[in-house]
Amino acid sequence: MVLGSMAPRRRWLLLGLAALAVVALVAAGAVVVTRLTGDNTPDRSAPAGSPSAPPAGTPSPSPTGPPPGANITGPLNLLLVGVDTRVSVPGWEPHADSVLVLHVPKGLGRAYLFSLPRDLLVDIPAFPKADYAGGKTKLTHAMSFGSRVPGKPKQPSTAQGYELLRSTVSGYTGLRIDAGAVLTFTGFDRLVNALGGVDIYVDQRVASLHRRPDGKYRESVPGGYTGPQMVYEKGDRHLNGWQALDYARQRYITGGDYARQRHQQQLIRALTRKILDEGLARQPERVDQVVAALGDTLLYVGGRRIVDLAYALGGVPENRFVLVGLPGSGVGKGSAYRGEQLTSVGKKFITELRAGRADAYLSAHPTLRVKT
């Protein structure tokens, strides 16, 4: 693939990034994708059969008919997950490294994106498909516990793991999850590079636990890693794929996992701006083609086609896409550390969100808004 050109396949990857950056962290995904695909006028600048034309025989949307997802009015809740698959380790169970929820109220005129700590102590329900009896433990484990396929210990199922994670998140938040996307670290790295990197304001000095300045992985030793560290200094920075992923993964920093959640959300906003600056807002592509271009780095799960959700969310203005940081604290002390819990202020936001009073609550608690 030629990353230096605006070839159609690269545009598919850019749209995929918009759809799923979330996830990777990435992810406000569907909101941004819809802005890029909101115009369903076909591209008539390329002759039939050219690389940018749709495949022969592909039906074109009727200009007079309703667009995809026209009957979707909300509310909608999307679960966006970044997973650590450790593909180099045979049989490694996927862990939910980043868990984000995108809530779009009825009318689809506003959207709220918030993260749940990976170490959040939650009740994970019993899951017979994986022979899991249920229990109270860290949220990140729901994906791995659910991925276990009886009789196939070295063949975990990410889709099955997502199913248990979805049930767990729904039970904790009280929100019905309508659809979701899972993006691997490999996919995120690839997509940021396809975009040509991303510009972001690094709001605190971050030393990488995992990478050297040249991008290679640091040497693993008992108790941690050794060798030179990549350092992201405070200020305006341009990050390539591995740097963006590495920066957004770090949680052994001032602020811990809550700072990491903030950095992930800031990265999503930066990616959104980057995509819009590329002038792609009027270059509609089929979201199904985006998904195909991402291959096995993406898992989409939903009752509706992703293209339907994309068009349905096309009316959400960028200035009404609200990033929310939910404060929390550790449970236990020292070696007795068990995980994280949201503070009463953080948990109350979810209650107010369900009741349709999120804006009033954020006005009363302005520090919950994540600055970009």
Side-chain angles (χ1 to χ4, degrees):
M1 183 192 332
V2 179
L3 299 181
S5 69
M6 284 302 295
R9 186 168 179 82
R10 181 185 173 210
R11 289 202 297 267
W12 299 347
L13 291 176
L14 292 176
L15 291 175
L17 173 60
L20 305 158
V22 104
V23 193
L25 296 170
V26 167
V31 172
V32 183
V33 167
T34 56
R35 292 179 59 80
L36 301 184
T37 58
D39 179 0
N40 63 357
T41 304
D43 181 1
R44 302 187 186 284
S45 62
S50 71
S52 60
T58 300
S60 299
S62 169
T64 58
N71 62 341
I72 298 177
T73 59
L76 288 172
N77 298 295
L78 308 182
L79 177 60
L80 310 168
V81 186
V83 298
D84 178 1
T85 56
R86 304 282 177 92
V87 292
S88 62
V89 181
W92 178 267
E93 296 171 355
H95 287 65
D97 201 61
S98 304
V99 180
L100 301 98
V101 177
L102 181 69
H103 173 76
V104 187
K106 186 176 181 179
L108 310 182
R110 201 169 188 82
Y112 304 88
L113 180 71
F114 63 91
S115 301
L116 294 176
R118 70 188 299 276
D119 289 346
L120 184 67
L121 280 177
V122 293
D123 291 311
I124 301 179
F127 193 57
K129 285 185 180 180
D131 285 343
Y132 177 65
K136 191 177 187 69
T137 186
K138 297 177 182 179
L139 179 62
T140 185
H141 296 320
M143 175 76 81
S144 56
F145 290 161
S147 72
R148 297 171 183 174
V149 180
K152 299 179 179 180
K154 297 296 183 180
Q155 300 178 47
S157 167
T158 299
Q160 190 173 285
Y162 168 84
E163 189 177 342
L164 181 56
L165 179 65
R166 179 189 62 199
S167 297
T168 304
V169 170
S170 182
Y172 182 82
T173 63
L175 298 171
R176 181 200 68 225
I177 303 300
D178 299 288
V182 179
L183 189 66
T184 68
F185 290 165
T186 300
F188 179 73
D189 191 329
R190 179 199 306 175
L191 292 175
V192 173
N193 281 334
L195 184 60
V198 64
D199 297 310
I200 189 171
Y201 178 74
V202 174
D203 62 8
Q204 67 183 76
R205 185 180 187 273
V206 174
S208 173
L209 181 69
H210 311 96
R211 301 269 196 164
R212 296 173 7 182
D214 61 3
K216 294 181 180 179
Y217 284 98
R218 300 176 69 211
E219 182 181 354
S220 178
V221 297
Y225 300 85
T226 187
Q229 291 177 272
M230 175 64 186
V231 176
Y232 305 91
E233 299 289 354
K234 185 175 179 179
D236 293 315
R237 305 294 171 201
H238 179 81
L239 306 180
N240 62 24
W242 73 260
Q243 291 169 337
L245 173 60
D246 184 52
Y247 169 71
R249 287 187 65 192
Q250 303 307 314
R251 61 191 181 108
Y252 295 104
I253 56 178
T254 302
D257 193 51
Y258 298 97
R260 184 180 73 152
Q261 293 173 42
R262 182 179 72 249
H263 294 161
Q264 291 171 356
Q265 291 178 319
Q266 291 169 338
L267 181 57
I268 291 169
R269 178 56 63 86
L271 290 168
T272 302
R273 290 172 177 159
K274 173 78 173 185
I275 291 168
L276 295 177
D277 288 345
E278 288 282 337
L280 300 178
R282 286 313 197 194
Q283 297 182 40
E285 302 282 355
R286 289 183 173 276
V287 179
D288 288 342
Q289 291 174 320
V290 177
V291 174
L294 291 174
D296 60 5
T297 64
L298 163 72
L299 169 69
Y300 170 73
V301 183
R304 299 295 297 261
R305 296 182 306 160
I306 192 171
V307 68
D308 292 336
L309 290 174
Y311 274 88
L313 295 176
V316 180
E318 186 181 2
N319 63 357
R320 292 190 176 182
F321 176 37
V322 183
L323 306 183
V324 180
L326 303 182
S329 60
V331 178
K333 295 182 179 180
S335 60
Y337 173 77
R338 296 177 54 211
E340 296 291 314
Q341 62 183 356
L342 295 184
T343 64
S344 58
V345 171
K347 199 161 187 179
K348 184 68 179 297
F349 168 77
I350 299 176
T351 301
E352 295 300 290
L353 183 73
R354 290 199 311 267
R357 299 189 293 264
D359 285 343
Y361 192 74
L362 290 174
S363 294
H365 302 84
T367 57
L368 295 183
R369 287 179 178 264
V370 175
K371 297 179 181 180
T372 58

